[in-house]
Amino acid sequence: MKTLSSYNFRDKRVLLRTDLNSDVVNKKVLMSERIKRASETISELKKKKAKVVIIAHQGRPKDRYFTSLKQHSRLLSKFTKVKFVNDIIGKKALKEIKNLKPGQALLLENIRFLKDEFNFNGKQNRLIKNLVPLFDIYVNDAFSVCHRKHTSIVGFPKYLMNCAGRLLEKEVKSLKKINLKNCLYVLGGAKPEENMKLLKGKKSLACGLFGQLCLISKGKNLGAQNKYLKDKLYLISKLKKRLKGVQTPVDFAVKIRSRRKELSLEEFPSKYEIYDIGEKTMKNFIEEIQKANSIYMKGPVGFCADGKFCNGTFTILKAIAKNKGHSIIGGGHLSDAVKKSRIKLGKFDNVSLSGGALLRYIAGEKLPGLEALR
Ligand code: 3PG
C-alpha cells in the first residue's frame, strides 16, 4: 500500500477522504479525536505544497447526526486552516477547487448529501465524472469508513493514483499486532447492528443500546424507549437466536429531571429513559474483564456526552487498562471517552478511531476500502 511518502505532492491537486464524523448534541458538533487527528495528514499535505480538497461525512441520512460540515471546518481550523464550501460538485465547488493554491486546503460539504456517494456505478457516477478530472492523487485517510463500498472509498482509487494517509497507515500497522486469542468482547455504542456480526457464541458483555436490545430480546420490558432504540427494534428477531454467551446488564442509570438515578432490573419497566449501566452491572463486568486474556471494546457503555452518565464507560475502561492481556478500544465516541477519562493511551494496546470497520476486520471480513488501495 502506498503512503504519503510515495509521491511528490508539490503543486498536485489532492482529493483527501477523511473521517470527521463526530458527536452532535443539540445541533452542535463536538470537538473530537477524529477531527484533531484528521488534521495531521492535512497539515503534512499542506506543508508538502499540495492543493488539498477534503471530503468527509457526518451522520447518515435521516439520523440525528446528519448535518453540514460547516462547524467541522471551524473545529478543524483550530489545528490547521481549512476553508469550507457548502457545495460538492456544483459550480461553486468546482470554482473553489480550481482556484486553490499550493499549501491551501478546502473542505467540501457532507459527501452523504449526494446520493451518488452511496451508489458507485462506474464512470457515470456524478462524483466521479465531476471530480476525477480535477485531481492528480487520491488519499484515503478514513480507515473507519473502509468497510463501506461508497464512491469516496472505492470509486476514486479506481481512477486516480492513490495512497493511504498517515492515520490510515497507522491503523493498518496496528491491525497486524492484534492478538485476539480467547477474546472477551465488550459491545456498546449506538450502532448495535454492527455488534451482531461478532455474536458467534463467544463471551460478550452487552452495553449501550445493544445491552438494552439484548434484554428486550430476552423478553424484558424496559418501559421508556428513546427514538434511537426504537429505530433498532427491527434487530430483535435476529438477536433472539444469537444470545448465547452474551451477558446483559442487571441494573441501569436513568435520567430523572436531569439527575442520575440507578434502578435494578426488577424495577423496570420504567417511564424514564436509560442513559448508562448501573454499579452492579459494572461490578459483574469488571469480574469478567479481570479473567479475560484479551479484550476488544467497541463503543461507549452509556451516554458519555453527558458527564453524569460517563461512570459506566470510565469504570469499564479503567478495568480494561488494568488487565495485562491484549486490549483494543474501538470507535469514534469511545476514543473521545478515553481522552475524557484521562486514562493514558499507553495502557491499551490499540485505541482505534474506527468502530464498524475495525469490528468487521475482527470478524474476519475484508475491507473494500483497503482492497481498493491495494
Ligand atoms: C463511524 O462512525 O464508524 C464512521 O464514521 C462510519 O460511519 P457509518 O457507520 O455511518 O458508515
Side-chain angles (χ1 to χ4, degrees), residues 36-174:
K36 191 173 162 200
R37 300 288 309 280
S39 68
E40 293 168 18
T41 289
I42 301 169
S43 299
E44 183 173 340
L45 285 168
K46 280 167 71 179
K47 271 195 203 118
K48 289 181 164 165
K49 297 287 176 223
K51 303 168 187 172
V52 191
V53 176
I54 307 156
I55 44 174
H57 73 279
Q58 172 62 53
R60 301 171 181 174
K62 295 197 191 127
D63 79 9
R64 69 174 148 150
Y65 302 107
F66 194 53
T67 186
S68 161
L69 294 188
K70 189 165 182 204
Q71 295 183 59
H72 302 69
S73 69
R74 256 185 268 127
L75 294 169
L76 200 48
S77 292
K78 289 185 196 270
F79 307 102
T80 186
K81 198 167 170 250
V82 299
K83 182 176 175 185
F84 175 69
V85 54
N86 64 344
D87 188 13
I88 306 169
I89 50 169
K91 274 191 191 143
K92 228 199 260 180
L94 301 192
K95 188 171 163 227
E96 292 281 357
I97 295 171
K98 283 179 188 156
N99 288 341
L100 210 55
K101 305 247 174 340
Q104 290 182 338
L106 186 69
L107 173 64
L108 300 183
E109 186 50 288
N110 187 344
I111 193 87
R112 291 188 178 174
F113 282 5
L114 274 186
K115 284 208 177 76
D116 297 61
E117 166 66 350
F118 301 95
N119 178 26
F120 172 57
N121 50 354
K123 276 188 189 157
Q124 68 269 37
N125 180 294
R126 288 181 305 157
L127 277 162
I128 300 291
K129 215 164 39 183
N130 288 281
L131 295 183
V132 165
L134 301 177
F135 289 92
D136 301 295
I137 304 172
Y138 163 84
V139 178
N140 185 345
D141 208 24
F143 174 74
S144 43
V145 200
C146 280
H147 56 314
R148 304 282 177 220
K149 284 186 186 151
H150 292 173
T151 306
S152 66
I153 298 292
V154 297
F156 292 124
K158 250 189 158 40
Y159 303 103
L160 289 167
M161 283 197 298
N162 58 71
C163 70
R166 293 297 180 209
L167 262 185
L168 188 140
E169 187 189 347
K170 276 184 206 147
E171 293 260 18
V172 169
K173 265 191 195 147
S174 47

Side-chain angles (χ1 to χ4, degrees), residues 220-224 254 263-272 274:
K220 180 71 195 171
N221 178 1
L222 294 173
V254 296
L263 300 177
S264 69
L265 209 51
E266 295 73 48
E267 290 172 274
F268 286 88
S270 158
K271 62 176 180 177
Y272 300 106
I274 292 170

